[in-house]
């Protein structure tokens, strides 16, 4: 395969998106904004004792057709975060690659109305994670958590929570679902989301079935990753947000390799019989601001799980929007109403601390880090 492929349909779509945005903004707007500087956004530091390493992989499932783009096989992109032995000399990774940041600047206000339009002065590509690229892992076999994001979101919008878990001794695998996620940069080009608004029942079914199959692919491939020596295949958990929460519970119910799971405000009415018979530990969070709370509560009825309610919060508090949106509001780029609709009007630090501590304590009981077996040095 050539290192310099011809421009793909995705590249043409990107050019059209960015060109249309430039026309809407008018001549000179982007240059003026760049000259004035852009809004600096930061993610919170993890709270654990270990620095965090990060490696990224693309997995190809040659036996499965991609459901969103006919004619290609399924590819899944993952980021693996882990406690590092040292991070000296290993750079921090950006949350988005330059290409992903270009796409996200255009797509963000379409996926989540209320976020700044392209050209508003936000440099999405400048947001740094606390994951250090290719840092050597801390020795020892450790529990593994799989994360599947909300519908339309990329895996990187679950960075802060995952980094916190990794800093406390776990390995976290952030899973992207191309065609569903807003944007994913793959070897053949960047793919953008096919979703347009709330998915209809058939689309939602495809989303969940595809995500569950993606999670199984990741589990199948974990033993072949370079980080396999520090992963304990006997201690695997899963957590997810929104559509990812739905997929996480379905994967938990249907895959014996997964021992425990967390659902962050995902519906459970797709396969009621599957989740009603669940006999594994499950923790479920919801917010008091979620506009579809009635459907959520109905779908959760009878499901054996512990439930936690976050007050003064809204649906996207479970990802990195919890940290980014208040900063955007402080910069005058997001209204108070948009903030409330996305993450709630309350203190995001309080809500995210409850999520961090609650999920970590849950997995500490079911998949403990302490007492792990040492890996060969």
């Amino acid at each position: 395969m050539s290192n310099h492929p011809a421009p793909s349909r995705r590249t043409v779509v990107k050019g059209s998106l960015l060109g249309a945005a430039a026309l809407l903004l008018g001549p000179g707007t982007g240059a003026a904004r760049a000259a004035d500087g852009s809004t600096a956004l930061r993610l919170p530091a993890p709270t654990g004792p270990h620095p965090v390493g990060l490696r990224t992989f693309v997995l190809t499932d040659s036996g499965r057709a991609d459901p969103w783009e006919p004619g290609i096989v399924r590819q899944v992109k993952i980021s693996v975060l882990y406690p590092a032995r040292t991070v000296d000399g290993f750079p921090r990774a950006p949350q988005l690659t330059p290409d992903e940041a270009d796409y996200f600047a255009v797509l963000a206000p379409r996926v989540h109305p209320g976020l700044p339009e392209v050209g508003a002065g936000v440099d999405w590509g400048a947001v740094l994670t606390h994951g250090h690229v290719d840092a050597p892992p801390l020795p020892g076999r450790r529990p593994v958590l799989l994360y599947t994001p909300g519908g339309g979101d990329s895996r990187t919008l679950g960075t802060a929570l995952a980094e916190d878990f990794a800093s406390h001794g776990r390995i976290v695998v952030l899973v992207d679902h191309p065609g569903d996620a807003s944007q994913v940069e793959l070897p053949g080009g960047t793919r953008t989301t096919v979703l347009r608004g709330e998915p209809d029942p058939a689309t939602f079914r495809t989303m969940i079935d595809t995500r569950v199959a993606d999670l199984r692919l990741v589990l199948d491939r974990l033993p072949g990753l370079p980080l396999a020596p520090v992963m304990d295949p006997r201690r695997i958990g899963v957590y997810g947000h929104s559509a990812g929460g739905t997929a996480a519970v379905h994967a938990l119910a249907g895959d014996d390799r997964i021992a425990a799971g967390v659902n962050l405000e995902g519906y459970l009415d797709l396969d009621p019989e599957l989740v009603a018979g669940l006999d594994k530990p499950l923790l479920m969070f919801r917010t008091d601001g979620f506009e579809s709370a009635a459907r959520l509560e109905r779908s959760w009825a009878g499901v054996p799980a512990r439930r936690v309610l976050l007050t003064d919060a809204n649906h996207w508090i479970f990802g990195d929007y919890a940290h980014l949106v208040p900063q955007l509001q402080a910069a005058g780029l997001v209204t108070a109403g948009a903030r409330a609709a996305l993450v709630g009007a309350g203190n995001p630090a309080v809500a995210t601390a409850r999520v961090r501590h609650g999920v970590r304590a849950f997995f500490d009981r079911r998949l403990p880090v302490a007492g792990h077996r040492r890996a060969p040095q």
Side-chain angles (χ1 to χ4, degrees):
M1 180 177 178
S2 170
N3 290 329
H4 302 282
S8 67
R9 179 172 62 82
R10 303 181 191 98
T11 304
V12 174
V13 170
K14 176 188 176 184
S16 300
L17 282 169
L18 298 179
L23 290 173
L24 288 170
L25 291 168
T29 307
R33 179 68 67 177
D36 292 341
S38 58
T39 300
L41 299 175
R42 294 180 175 85
L43 295 175
T47 63
H50 304 295
V52 177
L54 180 146
R55 297 186 188 180
T56 302
F57 306 93
V58 175
L59 310 177
T60 300
D61 188 347
S62 57
R64 180 162 54 116
D66 191 284
W68 306 117
E69 187 162 338
I72 66 172
V73 297
R74 186 64 175 168
Q75 286 188 312
V76 175
K77 191 170 187 176
I78 62 173
S79 292
V80 184
L81 293 88
Y82 50 90
R85 178 171 52 82
T86 178
V87 294
D88 291 343
F90 296 91
R92 287 167 62 182
Q95 187 176 33
L96 298 171
T97 68
D99 202 48
E100 288 171 340
D102 285 345
Y103 277 108
F104 186 73
V106 176
L107 294 171
R110 277 78 183 159
V111 176
H112 297 297
L115 290 178
E117 294 286 342
V118 64
V122 182
D123 186 354
W124 294 107
V127 182
L128 288 178
T129 73
H130 294 85
H132 295 258
V133 180
D134 293 333
L138 192 68
R141 288 194 177 273
R142 300 177 179 278
V144 179
L145 303 180
L146 306 184
Y147 171 71
T148 172
D153 277 353
S154 66
R155 74 192 188 285
T156 60
L157 286 167
T159 292
L161 189 59
E163 288 180 340
D164 196 63
F165 296 156
S167 76
H168 284 274
R170 300 183 182 281
I171 294 173
V172 185
V173 182
L174 304 177
V175 182
D176 249 332
H177 306 284
D180 175 341
S182 52
Q183 74 291 310
V184 185
E185 186 174 358
L186 296 167
T190 297
R191 290 185 59 181
T192 56
T193 183
V194 302
L195 302 180
R196 297 294 183 268
E198 191 71 17
D200 59 40
T203 301
F204 187 63
R205 164 63 71 179
T206 300
M207 287 173 62
I208 303 307
D209 288 350
T210 301
R211 284 164 173 257
V212 172
D214 290 346
L215 293 173
R216 288 175 177 159
L217 171 66
V218 173
L219 289 173
D220 290 343
R221 299 294 176 81
L222 289 183
L225 294 180
L227 291 164
V230 296
M231 298 180 178
D232 189 344
R234 302 166 305 172
R235 291 180 289 168
I236 293 177
V238 64
Y239 70 105
H241 171 226
S242 195
T246 307
V249 176
H250 281 229
L252 175 67
D255 197 310
D256 291 339
R257 293 171 291 185
I258 305 174
V262 176
N263 173 12
L264 304 173
E265 206 156 62
Y267 302 129
L268 296 180
D269 52 7
L270 194 61
D271 287 314
E273 293 183 3
L274 176 68
V275 297
L278 186 66
D279 60 354
K280 297 177 183 177
L282 175 64
L283 173 65
M284 302 200 293
F285 279 80
R286 76 173 184 87
T287 64
D288 63 351
F290 186 36
E291 64 180 2
S292 299
R295 175 186 172 186
L296 190 79
E297 282 292 286
R298 287 195 304 270
S299 76
W300 285 11
V303 177
R306 178 170 172 257
R307 294 160 170 76
V308 178
L309 174 67
L310 299 180
T311 57
D312 296 321
N314 214 328
H315 189 58
W316 300 100
I317 195 74
F318 297 106
D320 290 342
Y321 292 119
H323 314 288
L324 302 176
V325 169
Q327 295 176 62
L328 291 169
Q329 184 192 12
L333 298 175
V334 164
T335 67
R339 171 195 168 144
L342 286 166
V343 301
N347 185 342
V350 173
T352 54
R354 287 196 68 192
V355 176
R356 280 183 172 189
H357 296 157
V359 175
R360 199 168 66 234
F362 171 80
F363 283 124
D364 279 345
R365 290 190 298 271
R366 275 74 187 185
L367 306 169
V369 174
H372 62 269
R373 293 186 296 115
R374 301 292 289 179
Q377 300 294 311

